[in-house]
Amino acid sequence: MGVRPLSCSIRFALILVCLALYTGVSHAEVIFQDTGIDLGSGTSASSCFAIAPGDIDGDGDLDVFTAQYHMTSRLWRNGTGSYTADAQTFGGESAHGAALKDFDGDGDRDLLLIFNEAQNRVYLNDGSGTFTDTWQPFGAPTDFAHALQTGDLDGDDDIDAVVGTAAANIIWLNDGAGGFSSGYTLGSGGLGVAALGDLDGDGDLDIYVQKDGALDDTVWLNDGAGDFSDSGQRLGGGAGWGGIALGDLDGDGDLDAVVTNTSLGSLVLLNQGTGALTEAGPFFGGTSLRCALGDLDRDGDLDAVVVSFDLNGTTLWLNDGSGSFSLSGPLGGPYTHAVSLGDYDADGDLDAFVAYGYQVAGAPVKLFRNLTPLAVQPTTWGGLKELFSGER
């Protein structure tokens, strides 16, 4: 009897391993690495409350703006995987939200910055990342602005804003050149956090508003011209406050919601296709503050990153495709305030910036690189041949 060459035996074993590992594979965890990059203030006296990514200088990579509290906010330029602080200064020391969007329609990203104890500011970009303050009367220091969402609310192809304040959510309409005028307030009850998305599938942006305290959350439907009506839904509730992230969690083509709350934890609300949301149940019971959605493991559905300002810190949750989440693991340490997902190293997957609170020395804003391997799922023997023979 002839002896099979060792190389053939190894090749056959590899094929068996491939069948075992790559048929219907799903990741039980995602892998993130602390890069050592820190965009924090360097002092525990100042925390970052919002992280806004965007290519501000047109070089094709994601720059970052960090909205700092008790310290001047900073713009960071991305260059070959490292970040450099820009010398420009932006407003006062009580920033709570920021957005890098093209507010004046000239093709580059401008900056909208909201403050808790100062007037909000609009800065226009000259295309190179140099910003000019428009000094327009956009809100007042007594508004105590704390949350910001942007999108085209009135269907005129420019980017408007919803600002959450101590009294209500205020809609600000853009004139197309980056000038904002107040439309009206949305509902009543202070410290509301909003999320924008087409919840009822009619082609315009609706608004989910989360209320502070014991008030219920509400959904406001857009008529397409920027006029909103209360849908009558009363959702969530609880004594805390938090945030909302909208996305298609169960793959049925409409926008669902993950709602975080410092007293209730994190809830999944599934859309029935008409904008009516029903609670699918909690998936995290900690004091969750913020949430971001993105396909962390590149399996085609939206996973979740939940931020908590307690010992839970930031946690990663993987979606099974139906809107049911399972814990993958922690991301960094405890006491976190904000998270931003983006392909910061331009390798095709989602990385994460995580901002830490004053409880952590230096209040860092750390970049975690996604190292999760892409699942390979060959379905034919030809695919196996391609994997192991080197024939491409």
Side-chain angles (χ1 to χ4, degrees), residues 187-202:
S188 61
L191 298 178
V193 177
L196 308 183
D198 185 9
L199 291 169
D200 56 2
D202 64 352

PDB file of all heavy atoms in Angstrom, residues 187-202:
ATOM      1  N   GLY A 187     -42.679  69.661  21.916  1.00  0.00           N
ATOM      2  CA  GLY A 187     -43.141  69.116  23.176  1.00  0.00           C
ATOM      3  C   GLY A 187     -42.716  69.970  24.342  1.00  0.00           C
ATOM      4  O   GLY A 187     -42.304  71.118  24.206  1.00  0.00           O
ATOM      5  N   SER A 188     -42.796  69.415  25.537  1.00  0.00           N
ATOM      6  CA  SER A 188     -42.421  70.107  26.763  1.00  0.00           C
ATOM      7  C   SER A 188     -41.719  69.126  27.677  1.00  0.00           C
ATOM      8  O   SER A 188     -41.761  67.915  27.475  1.00  0.00           O
ATOM      9  CB  SER A 188     -43.659  70.684  27.455  1.00  0.00           C
ATOM     10  OG  SER A 188     -44.559  69.646  27.807  1.00  0.00           O
ATOM     11  N   GLY A 189     -41.090  69.665  28.697  1.00  0.00           N
ATOM     12  CA  GLY A 189     -40.308  68.808  29.579  1.00  0.00           C
ATOM     13  C   GLY A 189     -38.855  68.862  29.178  1.00  0.00           C
ATOM     14  O   GLY A 189     -38.516  68.699  28.017  1.00  0.00           O
ATOM     15  N   GLY A 190     -37.982  69.141  30.134  1.00  0.00           N
ATOM     16  CA  GLY A 190     -36.607  69.456  29.817  1.00  0.00           C
ATOM     17  C   GLY A 190     -35.698  68.261  29.637  1.00  0.00           C
ATOM     18  O   GLY A 190     -36.046  67.117  29.904  1.00  0.00           O
ATOM     19  N   LEU A 191     -34.481  68.598  29.182  1.00  0.00           N
ATOM     20  CA  LEU A 191     -33.382  67.656  29.042  1.00  0.00           C
ATOM     21  C   LEU A 191     -33.717  66.477  28.144  1.00  0.00           C
ATOM     22  O   LEU A 191     -33.288  65.346  28.368  1.00  0.00           O
ATOM     23  CB  LEU A 191     -32.922  67.159  30.420  1.00  0.00           C
ATOM     24  CG  LEU A 191     -32.389  68.238  31.360  1.00  0.00           C
ATOM     25  CD1 LEU A 191     -32.014  67.628  32.701  1.00  0.00           C
ATOM     26  CD2 LEU A 191     -31.199  68.950  30.767  1.00  0.00           C
ATOM     27  N   GLY A 192     -34.488  66.730  27.095  1.00  0.00           N
ATOM     28  CA  GLY A 192     -34.798  65.675  26.148  1.00  0.00           C
ATOM     29  C   GLY A 192     -33.649  65.424  25.189  1.00  0.00           C
ATOM     30  O   GLY A 192     -32.972  66.347  24.742  1.00  0.00           O
ATOM     31  N   VAL A 193     -33.407  64.164  24.870  1.00  0.00           N
ATOM     32  CA  VAL A 193     -32.411  63.770  23.875  1.00  0.00           C
ATOM     33  C   VAL A 193     -33.164  63.237  22.668  1.00  0.00           C
ATOM     34  O   VAL A 193     -34.109  62.455  22.814  1.00  0.00           O
ATOM     35  CB  VAL A 193     -31.470  62.686  24.443  1.00  0.00           C
ATOM     36  CG1 VAL A 193     -30.490  62.223  23.387  1.00  0.00           C
ATOM     37  CG2 VAL A 193     -30.730  63.218  25.668  1.00  0.00           C
ATOM     38  N   ALA A 194     -32.782  63.661  21.473  1.00  0.00           N
ATOM     39  CA  ALA A 194     -33.521  63.299  20.264  1.00  0.00           C
ATOM     40  C   ALA A 194     -32.684  62.420  19.346  1.00  0.00           C
ATOM     41  O   ALA A 194     -31.450  62.442  19.377  1.00  0.00           O
ATOM     42  CB  ALA A 194     -33.970  64.556  19.521  1.00  0.00           C
ATOM     43  N   ALA A 195     -33.381  61.645  18.503  1.00  0.00           N
ATOM     44  CA  ALA A 195     -32.760  60.909  17.412  1.00  0.00           C
ATOM     45  C   ALA A 195     -33.617  61.098  16.171  1.00  0.00           C
ATOM     46  O   ALA A 195     -34.856  61.095  16.249  1.00  0.00           O
ATOM     47  CB  ALA A 195     -32.637  59.426  17.752  1.00  0.00           C
ATOM     48  N   LEU A 196     -32.972  61.279  15.017  1.00  0.00           N
ATOM     49  CA  LEU A 196     -33.672  61.538  13.766  1.00  0.00           C
ATOM     50  C   LEU A 196     -33.615  60.313  12.865  1.00  0.00           C
ATOM     51  O   LEU A 196     -32.566  59.676  12.729  1.00  0.00           O
ATOM     52  CB  LEU A 196     -33.037  62.727  13.040  1.00  0.00           C
ATOM     53  CG  LEU A 196     -32.852  64.019  13.833  1.00  0.00           C
ATOM     54  CD1 LEU A 196     -32.280  65.106  12.933  1.00  0.00           C
ATOM     55  CD2 LEU A 196     -34.149  64.464  14.460  1.00  0.00           C
ATOM     56  N   GLY A 197     -34.743  60.011  12.230  1.00  0.00           N
ATOM     57  CA  GLY A 197     -34.791  58.902  11.281  1.00  0.00           C
ATOM     58  C   GLY A 197     -36.177  58.757  10.692  1.00  0.00           C
ATOM     59  O   GLY A 197     -37.161  59.221  11.280  1.00  0.00           O
ATOM     60  N   ASP A 198     -36.291  58.120   9.544  1.00  0.00           N
ATOM     61  CA  ASP A 198     -37.581  57.932   8.888  1.00  0.00           C
ATOM     62  C   ASP A 198     -38.287  56.734   9.503  1.00  0.00           C
ATOM     63  O   ASP A 198     -38.249  55.619   8.985  1.00  0.00           O
ATOM     64  CB  ASP A 198     -37.386  57.735   7.384  1.00  0.00           C
ATOM     65  CG  ASP A 198     -38.706  57.659   6.635  1.00  0.00           C
ATOM     66  OD1 ASP A 198     -39.758  57.925   7.242  1.00  0.00           O
ATOM     67  OD2 ASP A 198     -38.680  57.325   5.433  1.00  0.00           O
ATOM     68  N   LEU A 199     -38.975  56.975  10.598  1.00  0.00           N
ATOM     69  CA  LEU A 199     -39.593  55.884  11.344  1.00  0.00           C
ATOM     70  C   LEU A 199     -40.826  55.315  10.665  1.00  0.00           C
ATOM     71  O   LEU A 199     -41.117  54.114  10.784  1.00  0.00           O
ATOM     72  CB  LEU A 199     -39.955  56.359  12.756  1.00  0.00           C
ATOM     73  CG  LEU A 199     -38.759  56.647  13.666  1.00  0.00           C
ATOM     74  CD1 LEU A 199     -39.206  57.355  14.935  1.00  0.00           C
ATOM     75  CD2 LEU A 199     -38.032  55.350  14.012  1.00  0.00           C
ATOM     76  N   ASP A 200     -41.587  56.148   9.954  1.00  0.00           N
ATOM     77  CA  ASP A 200     -42.826  55.660   9.331  1.00  0.00           C
ATOM     78  C   ASP A 200     -42.673  55.368   7.843  1.00  0.00           C
ATOM     79  O   ASP A 200     -43.661  55.073   7.162  1.00  0.00           O
ATOM     80  CB  ASP A 200     -43.974  56.638   9.569  1.00  0.00           C
ATOM     81  CG  ASP A 200     -43.659  58.048   9.074  1.00  0.00           C
ATOM     82  OD1 ASP A 200     -42.559  58.260   8.517  1.00  0.00           O
ATOM     83  OD2 ASP A 200     -44.511  58.927   9.251  1.00  0.00           O
ATOM     84  N   GLY A 201     -41.469  55.457   7.314  1.00  0.00           N
ATOM     85  CA  GLY A 201     -41.199  55.037   5.951  1.00  0.00           C
ATOM     86  C   GLY A 201     -41.786  55.912   4.864  1.00  0.00           C
ATOM     87  O   GLY A 201     -41.990  55.441   3.742  1.00  0.00           O
ATOM     88  N   ASP A 202     -42.012  57.199   5.144  1.00  0.00           N
ATOM     89  CA  ASP A 202     -42.603  58.076   4.134  1.00  0.00           C
ATOM     90  C   ASP A 202     -41.586  59.005   3.487  1.00  0.00           C
ATOM     91  O   ASP A 202     -41.944  59.910   2.738  1.00  0.00           O
ATOM     92  CB  ASP A 202     -43.752  58.888   4.726  1.00  0.00           C
ATOM     93  CG  ASP A 202     -43.304  59.844   5.830  1.00  0.00           C
ATOM     94  OD1 ASP A 202     -42.126  59.762   6.242  1.00  0.00           O
ATOM     95  OD2 ASP A 202     -44.139  60.660   6.267  1.00  0.00           O
TER      96      ASP A 202
END
